[in-house]
Amino acid sequence: MEKTREILKARNLKKYYGSGESLVKAVDNISLSVNEGEFVAIVGTSGSGKSTLLHLLGGLDYADEGEVIIDGMDVLKMKDEEQTVFRRRKIGFIFQNYNLLAASNVYKNVTLPIRLDGNRPDEAYIDMILKLLGLEDKKGRRPNQLSGGQQQRCAIARALIKNPKLLLCDEPTGALDSKTSRDILVLLEEVNRKFGTTMLIVTHNNSIKYMVDQVVYLKDGRIERNYRNEEKVPAARLEDL
């Protein structure tokens, strides 16, 4: 049997805000391991530390203590410029509010990470990604000419365009209706299966936990429970999204 490779490891992560009676332990001594190709859900109520943990794992924020190892590299020890380049090349991000450039069309939004590196886009790969996400006929449209679901698909395409080692999703269906949410989850599931992309999805929706490989429950900044699913339910069959 082929040995699974650890792609992400967090050790003793801490992120505190305030002091004294107003001290908030947003992330309180969290350790976590994710294997290459896994789909992981980080679940918990509002204020449990989900988004803060994701930001620490992706190098978007600095921890007070601990370390984050991605593909053998210690992200939190990198200098700012080195960390920025590492994120752009190794990590894809998908957020609830899409974060698209309003003045740019779909094609320019999707290819932004490539152009920031000074490289020429691989048009065949771009066409394949856009077709997979149902955006092949939307290249020239700006975000305000797209539906919410199409904007999120554009954000997913942008996150995938560099074939990242890790895809971090912060409530990617939070602003979408039930049907569109399911469609986005089906797409993420297909991307995970097709490309073997390791994914972490932060969500308050308990139904999503059934479609992933590993579930991490957070409460008050700590891992309350962590387990791997023996049998996954396809995203298309999820209820109460």
Side-chain angles (χ1 to χ4, degrees):
M1 180 181 293
E2 185 178 345
K3 186 178 180 180
T4 55
R5 186 172 82 93
E6 186 179 62
I7 190 72
L8 167 66
K9 187 173 186 66
R11 294 191 187 102
N12 308 119
L13 275 184
K14 294 182 181 180
K15 184 69 176 181
Y16 296 171
Y17 298 98
S19 61
E21 292 183 0
S22 61
L23 179 67
V24 176
K25 297 181 178 182
V27 170
D28 189 18
N29 199 34
I30 283 180
S31 295
L32 179 67
S33 174
V34 177
N35 292 327
E36 191 170 30
E38 272 196 310
F39 199 158
V40 180
I42 301 174
V43 293
T45 58
S46 178
S48 60
K50 304 186 302 297
S51 291
T52 302
L53 174 60
L54 199 75
H55 290 176
L56 294 178
L57 295 177
L60 294 175
D61 197 1
Y62 285 98
D64 297 325
E65 294 181 26
E67 60 183 1
V68 174
I69 310 297
I70 297 176
D71 201 26
M73 301 290 291
D74 192 333
V75 177
L76 300 184
K77 287 185 178 178
M78 295 177 181
K79 295 180 180 179
D80 287 347
E81 185 176 348
E82 182 185 8
Q83 195 178 80
T84 298
V85 172
F86 182 85
R87 283 198 307 266
R88 191 165 66 235
R89 295 178 178 175
K90 298 283 188 177
I91 307 173
F93 295 94
I94 303 171
F95 300 101
Q96 181 176 338
N97 58 357
Y98 319 134
N99 287 350
L100 301 176
L101 300 177
S104 296
N105 60 27
V106 166
Y107 179 86
K108 289 183 177 179
N109 267 289
V110 169
T111 58
L112 180 63
I114 298 172
R115 292 183 286 113
L116 286 174
D117 269 342
N119 297 324
R120 295 187 64 179
D122 180 340
E123 299 297 339
Y125 182 69
I126 292 167
D127 287 344
M128 188 261 292
I129 291 293
L130 292 177
K131 184 175 182 180
L132 174 67
L133 297 176
L135 294 172
E136 66 268 31
D137 60 343
K138 305 290 191 299
K139 279 185 179 183
R141 295 193 182 182
R142 294 183 179 181
N144 65 359
Q145 297 173 307
L146 303 173
S147 69
Q150 289 168 340
Q151 289 184 62
Q152 191 60 291
R153 288 167 185 251
C154 183
I156 294 171
R158 181 186 56 194
L160 292 175
I161 206 64
K162 298 284 292 203
N163 194 19
K165 290 287 185 181
L166 192 63
L167 186 62
L168 303 180
C169 313
D170 193 355
E171 297 280 8
T173 63
L176 304 173
D177 60 61
S178 179
K179 181 185 182 305
T180 308
S181 294
R182 185 173 286 101
D183 290 343
I184 293 298
L185 291 173
V186 168
L187 282 173
L188 290 175
E189 186 179 61
E190 185 173 356
V191 166
N192 174 253
R193 183 173 59 248
K194 188 179 183 70
F195 300 110
T197 307
T198 306
M199 295 185 185
L200 273 72
I201 181 169
V202 158
T203 181
H204 65 275
N205 191 312
N206 275 328
S207 294
I208 293 175
K209 69 186 179 183
Y210 297 109
M211 67 174 281
V212 300
D213 300 296
Q214 182 182 176
V215 183
V216 180
Y217 278 98
L218 292 191
K219 183 178 181 181
D220 299 328
R222 285 180 166 269
I223 293 180
E224 184 179 45
R225 188 181 175 204
N226 185 358
Y227 68 90
R228 284 181 165 82
N229 274 328
E230 294 298 325
E231 293 186 16
K232 297 193 294 183
V233 176
R237 289 171 45 200
L238 293 179
E239 298 178 358
D240 302 324
L241 286 176

